[in-house]
Amino acid sequence: MRTTATYFDGKSAQAHDATLELFGPTVQVTLSDRAFSVNNETSRVVEPLGNGDWAIELPDRQQIRFTNKEFGNALCVEFRESRFVGRMERSWRWALLALIVAIAGSWAILTFGVPVAARHIAFAVPPELDKKLGRESIDLLDRIMFEESELSDDQTAPIRAAFANILAEHPESADYQLVFRSADAIGANAFAVPGGLVVVTDQMVGLFENDAEIASVLAHEVGHLRYRHSLRILLQNSVSAVFIAGLTGDLSNITALSATVPTVLMQAKYSRDFEHEADGFAFDYMEAHGMDMNALSNLLQRVDAGADRPGSSGIGDWLSSHPQSTERNRDTTE
Ligand SMILES: [Zn+2]
């Protein structure tokens, strides 16, 4: 794009004929005796007031005036864009800072925002949806992971009794249920499934040596349920579900999370905060009943030892859904 213009050298009032040609962000100025180029670092465009002339102001009071409005508008666009891009390109510090801010922001949202949102959403999910999610989760676990328990009623009776004792002290948890499943592949374990379901594997029952150990595991899992840890960890692992529920307030799709239950509950570790909360709930119960406070860590040490045996895949063991028992020992003896 080109236009005719008038050039003033800043020293005299004499006007010189000039031709301007726009090459991207650069204007080529051709005079009768010489040519030079200007850009937005060495000059600025002055838009006309009313029907006046456009001007390009240069150092030392040099000036170029023209009337071609189309050229002026194009020049403004080029200068403005190149100024913005140029500033960004020149300033790698700003680019780096922007990148760091973006990463830190995403990290903060994932680390703090999503868990906080997940907590709010988990406690806002109506009980019937929570139960539906739980039913779909256990159905799926039964299909892909669990087999029917081979325990006799005599073997499960003391465990059922211990579970009933815990619920008796927490009327709001009266509808929680205890189920037994065999799970060769995942070994000794206990899970809290959303909707108020505690699953104990036959393999875990085989490790129980006394009532205190039974109570400590059951109370720990009831603690997970009471604080809705399972639902919260499902939500935290599905950031999109958190955002959709948070933005739309629509919680009905929460049951779709059941598809993620096997992966998340089996392989994702509960956070240490969740474990401490569940442990705290269990220890309160144990203390109130004068039970051995070391029961849980004693049991977990035997679970650890058993996890190395052949036939245990390790995946989904108490080890992976719960922190190392050595770590827990240390924490709980503080
Ligand atoms: Zn736990």
Side-chain angles (χ1 to χ4, degrees):
M1 181 180 283
R2 64 166 66 209
T3 189
T4 55
T6 309
Y7 169 74
F8 298 92
D9 64 10
K11 296 171 193 135
S12 73
Q14 194 188 342
H16 302 270
D17 286 340
T19 306
L20 307 182
E21 196 162 1
L22 190 57
F23 297 102
T26 303
V27 181
Q28 179 73 24
V29 183
T30 308
L31 305 174
S32 59
D33 56 344
R34 64 192 174 99
F36 57 94
S37 62
V38 298
N39 58 41
N40 69 0
E41 289 184 47
T42 55
S43 64
R44 73 184 189 101
V45 182
V46 181
E47 293 183 45
L49 292 169
N51 288 326
D53 287 351
W54 289 75
I56 302 173
E57 292 183 342
L58 305 167
D60 301 327
R61 300 174 66 198
Q62 299 173 85
Q63 201 180 62
I64 300 164
R65 304 188 75 85
F66 62 93
T67 54
N68 186 329
K69 188 179 168 189
E70 201 182 333
F71 187 91
N73 286 332
L75 182 62
C76 280
V77 169
E78 291 289 353
F79 270 26
R80 202 181 306 126
E81 283 181 0
S82 74
R83 177 169 294 134
F84 178 73
V85 173
R87 190 184 297 149
M88 286 296 135
E89 279 174 353
R90 276 193 302 279
S91 177
W92 61 268
R93 285 182 192 82
W94 282 107
L96 188 62
L97 183 67
L99 184 66
I100 291 169
V101 167
I103 291 171
S106 309
W107 175 82
I109 287 171
L110 289 173
T111 306
F112 303 112
V114 169
V116 168
R119 182 176 188 281
H120 282 285
I121 293 165
F123 281 100
V125 169
E128 59 271 25
L129 270 184
D130 195 32
K131 284 193 164 45
K132 184 163 184 267
L133 171 62
R135 275 197 306 276
E136 290 178 8
S137 302
I138 191 73
D139 284 351
L140 183 60
L141 291 169
D142 279 343
R143 278 205 303 279
I144 66 173
M145 204 169 278
F146 292 151
E147 283 143 45
E148 248 175 80
S149 170
E150 291 166 9
L151 299 174
S152 68
D153 285 350
D154 281 352
Q155 286 171 301
T156 60
I159 302 161
R160 290 184 190 283
F163 192 68
N165 286 341
I166 296 168
L167 297 194
E169 294 185 12
H170 298 278
E172 66 286 343
S173 307
D175 60 348
Y176 287 180
Q177 286 183 317
L178 172 67
V179 297
F180 298 94
R181 293 289 189 273
S182 178
D184 271 337
I186 60 170
N189 215 327
F191 307 97
V193 177
L197 207 56
V198 172
V199 182
V200 178
T201 65
D202 290 6
Q203 292 74 8
M204 182 59 124
V205 174
L207 288 181
F208 287 145
E209 286 185 356
N210 55 55
D211 287 347
E213 291 181 358
I214 295 172
S216 67
V217 167
L218 296 179
H220 178 93
E221 297 305 326
V222 168
H224 278 316
L225 288 175
R226 295 259 302 146
Y227 298 112
R228 302 213 167 187
H229 290 160
S230 309
L231 183 52
R232 283 158 68 182
I233 203 165
L234 288 179
L235 285 164
Q236 282 173 218
N237 276 273
S238 175
V239 173
S240 57
V242 169
F243 276 110
I244 291 166
L247 288 175
T248 65
D250 179 5
L251 300 174
S252 60
N253 288 327
I254 233 103
T255 53
L257 290 175
S258 65
T260 69
V261 161
T263 328
V264 174
L265 283 196
M266 302 297 144
Q267 289 176 5
K269 285 185 179 178
Y270 277 135
S271 72
R272 289 182 51 144
D273 287 350
F274 284 5
E275 288 308 326
H276 282 175
E277 250 181 346
D279 277 351
F281 185 88
F283 290 139
D284 284 350
Y285 181 83
M286 307 290 287
E287 198 169 23
H289 292 264
M291 291 179 172
D292 177 9
M293 302 296 280
N294 292 319
L296 187 58
S297 55
N298 289 344
L299 174 66
L300 289 178
Q301 275 171 7
R302 293 205 302 282
V303 173
D304 282 5
D308 296 332
R309 280 202 296 267
S312 168
S313 69
I315 297 171
D317 261 307
W318 190 292
L319 284 177
S320 57
S321 58
H322 291 77
Q324 296 286 346
S325 49
T326 46
E327 181 180 290
R328 172 172 288 146
N329 269 336
R330 196 172 56 242
D331 292 344
T332 53
T333 50
E334 272 167 6

